[in-house]
Amino acid sequence: MVRQVPITQTRNIGIMAHIDAGKTTTTERILFYTGVSQTMGEVHEGTAVMDWMEQERGISITAAATTCFWREHRVNIIDTPGHVDFTVEVERCLRVLDGAVAVFCAVGGVEAQSETVWRQADKYRVPRIAFINKCDRRGADPGRCVEQMRDRIKAHPVVTQIPMGLEDSFAGVIDLVTMRALEWVGDTTGAAFLDREIPASLVRPAKDARVGMIEALGEVDDEIFALYVDGAEISAARIRAALRRATIAGRAVPVLLGAAFKNKGVQPLLDAVVDYLPSPADMPPVAGHAPDGVPCLRHASDKEPFSALAFKIMSDVVTGPLTYFRVYSGQVEAGATVFNATKGKRERVSRLLRMHANHREEIRRVSCGNIAAAVGLSMTSTGDTLCDLRAPIALELIDFPRPTCSVAIEARSEAQQQKLAQALAQLAVEDPTFSVRSEPETGQTLIAGMGELHLEIIVDRLVREYEVEAKVGRPSVAYREMITQVAEAEGSCIHQVGGRGLFAQVKLRVEPRPDGRGIQFVNQASAGAVPRDFVAAVEKGARTALERGVLGCCGLADVRVTLLDGRHHPLDSNEMAFQIAAAQAASEAAQRASPVLLEPLMRLDVLVPDEFVGGVLGNLSARRGRVLGMDARGGVQEISAEVPLATMFGYATDVRSLTQGRATFTLQFLRYAPVPFPVREALSLRARGS
C-alpha cells in the first residue's frame, strides 16, 4: 500500500555532480538507510540499484527515479548522469525538481561538469544543498572546495559541518548547528553513529567555525544578522529556519561533509534535505498559458485542475512507452483521459506506476507534487503538458542543446533495415538530443548525438535491446554555415523552347537570425508581384538552396529570408520556375552576406601528473587547442583548454598513451566558432571530392 503524506512533507530532489564525484554511491546509501534496499549496491561491482542499464560502465548514463521516506517525509529522488554526453538528462530533470543535492569531490573540488550542472540549476532556480564527498580520500580538502564554490560557480556556501579528521583519519563531522559531534565507529554499515560532546581538542575550531557559519548566514538573512549584531544566543531552531528561508530563496547553499563509500555522513544529509529543501507547496505557482494565449497559473494543490509536465520517455518491451511526469496541480487516476495541450490531443492513462530505477509499483492515483510514470500515452513527447480537459494549460517547454557529433549507420543486412529504422525512431523519441536523418545525396542514414560515448551507447542499445546489428562509420562533426550580414539578390528562370516556356523572377533579402531560430520565410512583396499560388514555391526553392549551403560543407542555419519583389507571366509561370528562381536568388544573396563556417568548440579539462604535462600540451597544440589555464594540485596539473571537436576523435587513446594511463579528462560543448580559413578550404575540397 502506498503511504500518503501531506504535500508539505514531500521533497522532489535531484542528485547532481561531475562524473565520479559519488552521486550514485550517495543515492545507494540513502536507499539503504531509508529501508528501500536491504543491501548496499556498489557502483564498482555493478550492483548499484540506480545504475540498472547494461551499458552503464561505472558511470550513470540515464536519470533513474526512486522514492523513499525519512522522518515521515516522502523523498522522490532522481539520480542524474555526470557525463557531459548525457547532460540532457540533468536538464530535463532539473526542470521538474524542487531542490537538488550537489555532490562535490573533496579532492577534485568544483570540476567542469559540476559547473555545467550548477548553471543548469541556476537556469531553473532550483534550491540546492552541497555535499562534499570523499573526505576520506588522500588529498581531501573541503575548505578548498568551499572556496571554489565561491569563485567558480558564484555560490554563497554556508558551512554547517566541519570534519573530524581527514583522509584515513576521517571519523565523522561536527554539526555546527547543534554543536554536537557525529562519529561513525564500529558498525561497518554506518547505520549507527555516536552523537556526543565535541572532543576538547576540537571545541575552539568548532566555535570559530560556528561564528563563520552565522556570519555567512547573516549576510543573507536579516533576522540572524540582527541577533548576531546584538550578541544574542542563536538557537539551533532559528538557524535551521534561517537556512531553510535562504536556501529556498536561492540566497545560500548549506554545505555538509561525508564519505558515502565509507558510509559516513549520509543520515545528516537526509536531515538537511528535509530541513532545508522546499516542498512543492513552498515553490511559486507554475506559469503557463491557455489555448488563447492568456497567461495563467496553477498552485500546488490537489483541489486545482490537473496539470503535469512529461519530462522523460522510456521504451519498455512489456508495457510500451513509459512517460515520466511531474504533477504540478490536481491529481490523476489510472484510466483517466487527459489533454495533451502541446499536441492538442486527448490521451488515456491506462496505468500509473511508481518507479524504483527499472522496477515498478502499480498505483491508482498520483497526487499534486509527485513524480510517476504513465502507460498508454502514445502521442506524448518530452516537454509536453498534460492537463485537465476542462481547464487546458500549456507549461513552459524544456530547452535542449543541438547534437554536435554524427555518424553514418546502416543495417548489416537488408532484412534488418526496417527494424533499424523503427529502433532509431524510438530512440529519437526517448532522447531529444539524438536525431536521425537521411542524406539525400548519398542515401546514407546519419545519427547525431552529443559525443562519441553518446553514440556508442545508442549503437550498443540497438544490439542489446532491439537486436539490430548495424555498421557504423567514423564520427563526424556537425558544422554550421551562418551569414553575418544582410544582403539582397535577384534570381530568374527564363526558358523558351517551342510553345510554353518557363518564366519567373524573384528578389530576396537574407539576414542572420539569433542562434537556434532556424530558417524563417517572410513575404513582403506587393500584391500581384508573385501570385499567391506561387509563394509556397518561392519558399521551397529558397529553403532548398539554403539547406544545401554556399560554402560546400553543410547547410545554412538561422536565416530570415524575405520575398521583396517578383515578376510572373500569365502563361509561362509555374511552381518549378519560381522554385528555380528563388533558389538562385537565395544562393546569390547568401554568398553576398559574408557566410562563415562554424565548428563546435569543446571545453577540455585534463588532470595529468606533472611529469607528463609537456607531452599533453604538445598534443593539444597539434589538435588546434588553446590552453585557458593551469592549476597545480600537489603533483597533478589541471589543464583547461578549448579545442575543436573535429580534432578530438581518438583523444582518449592518445592521452592514455602519453600518460601511461594516469590522466583523466572531460570534454563538454562550449560554443560554435568560425573555422580557420585553411581548414575551411580543406573541408570544401573534401566535400566537393565526395
Side-chain angles (χ1 to χ4, degrees):
M1 183 176 176
V2 179
R3 290 168 64 180
Q4 299 296 326
V5 300
I7 192 170
T8 55
Q9 291 175 219
T10 296
R11 302 289 184 269
N12 293 312
I13 68 166
I15 312 290
M16 63 182 202
H18 184 88
I19 187 172
D20 201 34
K23 298 180 309 303
T24 301
T25 300
T26 301
T27 308
E28 293 295 322
R29 299 311 186 258
I30 288 174
L31 297 182
F32 178 77
Y33 298 134
T34 56
V36 174
S37 300
Q38 301 306 308
T39 58
M40 292 184 187
E42 301 292 359
V43 173
H44 65 282
E45 295 176 358
T47 58
V49 173
M50 305 302 275
D51 280 353
W52 57 271
M53 293 184 70
E54 291 186 51
Q55 293 83 4
E56 298 189 277
R57 310 155 190 184
I59 62 168
S60 301
I61 64 173
T62 187
T66 190
T67 298
C68 60
F69 290 84
W70 185 256
R71 285 171 40 192
E72 300 305 316
H73 286 66
R74 182 203 309 277
V75 183
N76 298 317
I77 302 174
I78 298 182
D79 177 32
T80 63
H83 195 284
V84 66
D85 281 14
F86 307 98
T87 190
V88 63
E89 293 284 342
V90 185
E91 182 85 17
R92 58 183 172 187
C93 293
L94 287 172
R95 171 66 177 81
V96 300
L97 292 172
D98 301 321
V101 176
V103 180
F104 298 99
C105 175
V107 180
V110 177
E111 298 171 275
Q113 189 65 3
S114 303
E115 296 182 47
T116 299
V117 297
W118 196 270
R119 287 194 299 270
Q120 288 173 304
D122 283 341
K123 175 180 176 181
Y124 295 111
R125 302 184 185 89
V126 178
R128 278 145 278 177
I129 59 179
F131 180 61
I132 299 180
N133 191 27
K134 301 189 178 182
C135 289
D136 61 316
R137 293 286 185 89
R138 183 179 179 185
D141 189 347
R144 176 175 167 274
C145 185
V146 171
E147 287 302 316
Q148 288 181 344
M149 289 178 65
R150 294 190 183 99
D151 297 339
R152 295 189 179 184
I153 56 180
K154 309 306 178 189
H156 184 74
V158 178
V159 178
T160 64
Q161 297 175 344
I162 61 172
M164 297 174 65
L166 281 174
E167 301 180 339
D168 291 342
S169 64
F170 178 69
V173 297
I174 294 174
D175 187 330
L176 302 177
V177 177
T178 61
M179 290 299 281
R180 299 286 294 175
L182 309 179
E183 188 174 3
W184 279 261
V185 292
D187 184 358
T188 57
T189 68
F193 58 92
L194 299 178
D195 181 342
R196 62 185 183 90
E197 295 290 332
I198 299 173
S201 61
L202 294 176
V203 169
R204 174 48 55 193
K207 287 182 176 179
D208 292 342
R210 191 174 199 268
V211 171
M213 175 189 70
I214 292 172
E215 288 177 346
L217 187 54
E219 292 179 27
V220 294
D221 189 88
D222 292 341
E223 179 183 323
I224 295 297
F225 177 76
L227 291 169
Y228 177 65
V229 170
D230 292 342
E233 182 64 29
I234 305 175
S235 67
R238 276 187 160 164
I239 292 174
R240 288 196 188 99
L243 279 169
R244 181 174 181 80
R245 288 193 298 270
T247 303
I248 293 174
R251 296 194 297 266
V253 180
V255 178
L256 296 92
L257 313 177
F261 183 66
K262 294 293 180 65
N263 313 318
K264 298 174 182 177
V266 177
Q267 295 95 328
L269 175 63
L270 277 164
D271 288 335
V273 167
V274 168
D275 290 338
Y276 307 139
L277 291 180
S279 74
D282 295 316
M283 303 302 288
V286 65
H289 60 268
D292 57 5
V294 176
C296 49
L297 300 174
R298 291 286 186 271
H299 296 81
S301 169
D302 284 343
K303 297 178 181 179
E304 291 256 328
F306 170 67
S307 67
L309 189 75
F311 66 93
K312 179 180 173 68
I313 309 295
M314 189 178 78
S315 62
D316 188 282
V317 294
V318 178
T319 64
L322 285 177
T323 304
Y324 286 73
F325 64 96
R326 155 73 189 268
V327 180
Y328 284 98
S329 64
Q331 51 189 329
V332 64
E333 294 189 350
T337 298
V338 297
F339 184 63
N340 184 325
T342 309
K343 299 277 196 329
K345 302 285 187 181
R346 295 186 180 203
E347 293 257 54
R348 184 176 180 275
V349 181
S350 59
R351 294 166 60 197
L352 290 170
L353 305 171
R354 174 161 290 119
M355 302 301 295
H356 178 50
N358 63 328
H359 302 290
R360 61 206 65 177
E361 171 192 359
E362 191 147 351
I363 55 178
R364 288 185 53 252
R365 180 189 299 111
V366 183
S367 56
C368 179
N370 279 299
I371 293 171
V375 178
L377 305 181
S378 58
M379 292 178 285
T380 299
S381 305
T382 300
D384 286 359
T385 300
L386 304 172
C387 58
D388 193 316
L389 288 161
R390 296 160 296 183
I393 182 175
L395 305 179
E396 180 186 351
L397 296 172
I398 306 174
D399 294 327
F400 295 113
R402 292 181 178 181
T404 59
C405 180
S406 64
V407 296
I409 188 169
E410 63 180 62
R412 290 193 177 274
S413 66
E414 194 170 331
Q416 288 201 321
Q417 191 62 44
Q418 182 64 28
K419 196 173 180 181
L420 173 64
Q422 292 173 348
L424 291 176
Q426 180 59 53
L427 291 169
V429 169
E430 287 186 31
D431 187 348
T433 59
F434 172 68
S435 65
V436 185
R437 65 182 176 89
S438 296
E439 187 64 50
E441 294 183 3
T442 63
Q444 287 182 310
T445 297
L446 299 180
I447 58 174
M450 299 306 296
E452 283 186 277
L453 180 61
H454 188 193
L455 295 178
E456 183 184 331
I457 294 295
I458 291 289
V459 174
D460 193 66
R461 289 188 64 190
L462 286 173
V463 175
R464 293 178 185 270
E465 296 177 30
Y466 297 93
E467 298 179 347
V468 177
E469 293 284 347
K471 293 185 289 185
V472 179
R474 188 177 184 273
S476 61
V477 175
Y479 291 98
R480 291 188 200 169
E481 289 184 20
M482 187 182 76
I483 58 173
T484 57
Q485 296 180 5
V486 180
E488 297 178 0
E490 296 183 2
S492 61
C493 176
I494 303 174
H495 186 62
Q496 189 74 40
V497 178
R500 179 177 294 184
L502 297 173
F503 182 88
Q505 290 185 334
V506 170
K507 184 177 182 180
L508 299 177
R509 179 176 65 231
V510 297
E511 53 193 303
R513 298 185 76 200
D515 181 42
R517 297 294 179 86
I519 298 174
Q520 179 189 31
F521 180 81
V522 180
N523 180 13
Q524 291 185 357
S526 58
V530 176
R532 183 181 301 176
D533 293 345
F534 297 140
V535 171
V538 173
E539 179 178 357
K540 183 177 180 181
R543 285 184 178 275
T544 300
L546 295 176
E547 288 169 357
R548 194 164 51 237
V550 294
L551 296 176
C553 298
C554 57
L556 271 160
D558 308 321
V559 181
R560 178 181 288 107
V561 184
T562 305
L563 172 59
L564 301 174
D565 200 3
R567 291 179 61 199
H568 70 284
H569 187 276
L571 296 177
D572 292 345
S573 293
N574 58 27
E575 290 186 358
M576 181 183 294
F578 273 100
Q579 280 188 40
I580 295 170
Q584 185 184 105
S587 181
E588 179 65 29
Q591 289 175 358
R592 295 176 183 176
S594 300
V596 294
L597 182 66
L598 304 178
E599 66 177 347
L601 288 185
M602 312 299 285
R603 162 73 178 264
L604 175 70
D605 291 276
V606 192
L607 282 174
V608 55
D610 289 339
E611 60 265 37
F612 302 115
V613 167
V616 170
L617 290 176
N619 185 266
L620 283 177
S621 177
R623 294 174 182 269
R624 293 196 283 127
R626 184 170 72 90
V627 175
L628 302 175
M630 295 176 62
D631 183 17
R633 295 190 182 183
V636 176
Q637 293 281 344
E638 180 183 22
I639 303 172
S640 298
E642 61 177 29
V643 289
L645 175 61
T647 68
M648 293 306 291
F649 298 124
Y651 182 70
T653 302
D654 280 4
V655 80
R656 277 197 299 268
S657 175
L658 288 167
T659 65
Q660 299 176 10
R662 294 171 60 190
T664 60
F665 73 94
T666 59
L667 197 65
Q668 60 182 315
F669 175 74
L670 192 61
R671 68 179 188 278
Y672 271 86
V675 176
F677 181 76
V679 178
R680 193 184 84 180
E681 287 296 291
L683 290 170
S684 298
L685 287 171
R686 190 186 309 161
R688 286 194 289 270
S690 61

